[in-house]
Amino acid sequence: MEIFKVHSYQQISPFFLVCGILGILSHDPSVDVSQEICEGLSLLQHRGQDACGIVTCGHKGRFYQCKANGMVRDVFDSASLSRLIGGMGIGHVRYPTAGSSNHAEAQPFYVNSPYGIVFAHNGNLINTADLLQFMDQTAHRHINTNSDSELLLNIFADNLQKTGKFRINEEDIFTAIGSLMEQCKGAYAVVAMLAGFGIMAFRDPHGIRPLGMASRKSVSGGDGRDYLFSSESVVADAAGFSGWEDVKPGEAVIITRSRVSRRQCATNAQFAPDIFEYVYFARPDSVLDGISVYRSRMAMGDALADEVRRVLDEQKLTVDVVIPVPDTSRVAALNLAQKLNLPYREGFIKNRYVGRTFIMPGQQMRKKNVRRKLNAMALEFAGKNVLIVDDSIVRGTTSKEIIQMAKDVGAKKVIVASCAPPIRFSNVYGIDMPSRTELVAHGRSTEDIAEAIGADLVIFQTLPDLISSVRQFNPSISTFDCSVFTGEYVTGGVDEEYLANLERLRADNVKDRTITGGLGPIEGKGGGGVVDNGVNGIHGTSGSVPETVGSGPLNGADTIGLHNSWKAS
């Protein structure tokens, strides 16, 4: 049928990067939760800096929405938050995509049928072609955006629709989520809300993306409890919630004001969280799946120290000073320096006020951007053999420029140590890694990588040491997703044709992309900036800003559906 050609494989963008999701239910429905959700999203800002949104549910199940492209601090103010009425709500922060920065793709998403559902998703589906065909041919639901999150929402909505009930219960919801887990392949951590009913959360059968829950005594007093779902535990800590517990892989949790219901919905669950969360993405003060991110990075530094010692002895080299690349590698670099009995110095000073003040067209200004963000202090480099510690090396573009900066201020030799093994393969589970050919380690030996980035020597953490550094804090986890290092994808279903299509889509979408910001996007690890589109006072070349941004009743259309209170008078 011709309609299926419209929804081709390439139509759904697989580049919605690691995101942050959050949901809060107050035991007292008269207590508005929007302020706390906003504060929680600001703590998850490192997981998404391109767009953010909040939807709350108030009296008689009415939804109130505010979402737009931009940082949390720019999208939400006291006026917009005051219009987000209701004692339960969900929020979302999103990293830039390699495709569209359409306002309609800001989450949470909404469908009005059945029952009114709001949905926030972190991850990426890998069987979108089959799901799109099902949406057209069988479910007859229109998918309006390039987001697989909207597709996932409509799968869930269709499963609920099949009950045919006037009012549903927890059993119906668990059944719908169980069917979704059979239909959808890939990574997904989801927080959702049903109008007038409650909030819920679930993870894919492998638990690739993080998600947990906590509770506290109701802020309005009495015997009731308030509940929270979040991508990371740091949000619960800051908001006074306790008893943090991870949502299990393949598990669904439904919370109403009368009870908490939990169900294992996937029979084939095999836990394999993404190890790159611990290397780079998560905040160091978070605990994910029972593992302290901070402690795991300390352990990475200890293990890397052993490998550095071995390689330096082999090469008959000495090091005078250890210097981290700010910020993620600091914890590991400090432990490495202590174990090797070497001085630790902050040789690179980061300018934290650059990220949103200029536009970087495509990838043409990376070098200039690195030097805007970092300054090398000559007194820590001049005449020394320097060991620079980074969390990982992706494209190598940033590494190359940082190494050159060190040499420009007089470093005698520059040795780079990476807390992660060589990244040689694409990530298909929601992290915007470059295509394989753009990865500096793809098809290259360690010596070739050193030559490509201008280092005198590069030392990588071994994969067994990385896994041990993380797993030692929760031995019950037998497997991690390490696909960017090994090319082995825990979900299956990722073949050469899939990867080739994914890389073709990315190449098509990034040609005219403009990005801003920090070291993350430059290196290909996300972070540090937003797309300039004339929104939130960041004036670019796109011209006018729409008055409202909403989600359509059956899709993510930006002209109908929920009223958006962003910039409303």
Side-chain angles (χ1 to χ4, degrees):
M1 293 177 64
E2 191 66 22
I3 190 170
F4 297 139
K5 294 181 181 178
V6 176
H7 293 304
S8 65
Y9 175 90
Q10 290 90 339
Q11 288 301 107
I12 291 290
S13 170
F15 298 107
F16 284 85
L17 314 190
V18 171
C19 301
I21 58 177
L22 174 62
I24 295 179
L25 182 142
S26 169
H27 180 73
D28 184 350
S30 67
V31 175
D32 292 341
V33 297
S34 58
Q35 180 67 46
E36 282 200 299
I37 294 176
C38 179
E39 292 171 0
L41 291 180
S42 70
L43 292 169
L44 295 175
Q45 188 77 86
H46 61 287
R47 299 188 68 87
Q49 302 173 4
D50 182 55
C52 56
I54 296 174
V55 178
T56 58
C57 185
H59 184 57
K60 293 185 178 180
R62 180 175 177 181
F63 288 139
Y64 300 84
Q65 170 184 255
C66 179
K67 64 178 184 176
N69 286 357
M71 305 276 276
V72 172
R73 67 186 180 217
D74 300 313
V75 172
F76 302 108
D77 56 22
S78 57
S80 62
L81 291 174
S82 69
R83 289 187 285 268
L84 295 174
I85 302 166
M88 62 178 175
I90 66 175
H92 186 272
V93 289
R94 188 192 79 189
Y95 258 134
T97 72
S100 169
S101 291
N102 192 324
H103 300 276
E105 294 178 358
Q107 295 189 46
F109 281 134
Y110 160 72
V111 292
N112 70 348
S113 177
Y115 315 116
I117 309 169
V118 178
F119 204 84
H121 164 229
N122 175 24
N124 183 64
L125 302 181
I126 63 171
N127 64 329
T128 55
D130 293 338
L131 295 175
L132 282 169
Q133 181 167 318
F134 171 78
M135 284 286 99
D136 280 330
Q137 194 172 48
T138 305
H140 309 305
R141 283 178 171 264
H142 173 62
I143 307 300
N144 196 63
T145 71
N146 290 330
S147 171
D148 63 346
S149 303
E150 187 198 358
L151 179 57
L152 190 66
L153 165 58
N154 276 273
I155 293 289
F156 178 56
D158 183 65
N159 290 343
L160 281 180
Q161 188 83 56
K162 292 173 183 176
T163 66
K165 289 185 176 181
F166 178 65
R167 289 286 183 265
I168 57 172
N169 56 34
E170 284 91 339
E171 190 66 32
D172 300 318
I173 297 170
F174 284 133
T175 300
I177 294 173
S179 297
L180 177 149
M181 290 182 179
E182 293 177 358
Q183 295 167 280
C184 300
K185 308 301 179 186
Y188 47 89
V190 171
V191 174
M193 178 168 58
L194 260 64
F197 186 89
I199 60 174
M200 62 206 66
F202 57 90
R203 289 173 85 181
D204 68 78
H206 297 280
I208 297 172
R209 301 264 73 88
L211 184 63
M213 60 182 290
S215 67
R216 70 183 178 197
K217 189 175 180 179
S218 174
V219 293
S220 59
D223 297 328
R225 299 193 69 79
D226 303 330
Y227 289 91
L228 169 144
F229 292 117
S230 176
S231 295
E232 296 188 28
S233 63
V234 63
V235 179
D237 296 338
F241 288 79
S242 60
W244 176 263
E245 188 175 357
D246 298 287
V247 176
K248 296 179 178 63
E251 183 185 32
V253 183
I254 303 170
I255 300 178
T256 67
R257 291 194 171 90
S258 59
R259 59 183 170 272
V260 177
S261 305
R262 306 182 70 157
R263 175 82 55 88
Q264 186 65 34
C265 295
T267 57
N268 60 338
Q270 179 190 356
F271 202 10
D274 185 354
I275 204 164
F276 215 69
E277 289 278 356
Y278 302 95
V279 172
Y280 178 79
F281 281 105
R283 279 180 53 135
D285 47 349
S286 284
V287 177
L288 306 180
D289 293 311
I291 298 170
S292 163
V293 176
Y294 182 77
R295 295 292 186 194
S296 70
R297 290 177 184 168
M298 290 176 65
M300 289 175 206
D302 288 337
L304 185 58
D306 293 335
E307 182 66 8
V308 167
R309 181 186 287 115
R310 184 190 71 79
V311 175
L312 290 181
D313 289 346
E314 188 179 273
Q315 299 289 325
K316 295 181 171 52
L317 290 173
T318 59
V319 167
D320 300 311
V321 65
V322 175
I323 295 177
V325 177
D327 289 306
T328 316
S329 61
R330 279 193 171 117
V331 175
L334 181 57
N335 264 51
L336 179 148
Q338 289 173 342
K339 191 164 184 178
L340 294 180
N341 197 28
L342 290 170
Y344 169 94
R345 296 290 185 268
E346 292 284 350
F348 294 108
I349 305 302
K350 189 173 183 179
N351 183 353
R352 302 182 184 280
Y353 306 101
V354 169
R356 291 169 56 81
T357 61
F358 64 93
I359 302 306
M360 189 173 65
Q363 313 202 1
Q364 300 169 6
M365 293 179 64
R366 283 203 181 104
K367 291 184 179 181
K368 188 178 290 187
N369 192 49
V370 173
R371 291 180 182 265
R372 281 175 167 142
K373 293 293 290 185
L374 288 182
N375 182 52
M377 289 195 295
L379 61 91
E380 297 296 351
F381 291 92
K384 299 177 182 178
N385 291 346
V386 179
L387 179 65
I388 295 176
V389 179
D390 204 352
D391 53 78
S392 57
I393 301 173
V394 184
R395 281 192 182 94
T397 312
T398 299
S399 299
K400 185 174 184 177
E401 189 61 22
I402 286 173
I403 291 164
Q404 188 59 50
M405 289 169 64
K407 291 183 175 181
D408 287 347
V409 293
K412 191 161 57 175
K413 286 187 180 293
V414 178
I415 300 164
V416 176
S418 168
C419 295
I423 296 173
R424 293 191 163 101
F425 302 94
S426 299
N427 183 286
V428 302
Y429 298 130
I431 299 175
D432 188 17
M433 291 285 184
S435 64
R436 290 167 292 178
T437 56
E438 294 177 282
L439 297 168
V440 70
H442 183 72
R444 286 189 174 100
S445 66
T446 301
E447 293 75 16
D448 292 337
I449 296 168
E451 183 179 355
I453 64 177
D456 294 284
L457 181 66
V458 174
I459 304 170
F460 287 101
Q461 183 93 269
T462 68
L463 184 57
D465 282 349
L466 175 60
I467 293 173
S468 176
S469 298
V470 180
R471 186 174 181 266
Q472 65 180 281
F473 300 103
N474 186 356
S476 66
I477 302 177
S478 60
T479 305
F480 289 90
D481 172 61
C482 302
S483 54
V484 296
F485 310 122
T486 65
E488 299 171 3
Y489 298 92
V490 296
T491 60
V494 180
D495 54 19
E496 182 59 34
E497 181 183 2
Y498 178 92
L499 292 173
N501 278 329
L502 183 148
E503 291 169 359
R504 208 159 34 239
L505 173 62
R506 186 183 192 281
D508 289 343
N509 283 339
V510 299
K511 285 178 182 176
D512 300 318
R513 180 184 176 195
T514 59
I515 62 175
T516 70
L519 297 174
I522 302 167
E523 184 62 5
K525 291 179 284 193
V530 298
V531 176
D532 178 358
N533 44 37
V535 180
N536 303 331
I538 310 169
H539 299 292
T541 59
S542 59
S544 62
V545 179
E547 289 296 321
T548 61
V549 184
S551 299
L554 293 179
N555 49 54
D558 59 359
T559 55
I560 54 178
L562 291 181
H563 171 68
N564 190 357
S565 62
W566 180 66
K567 285 201 170 181
S569 57

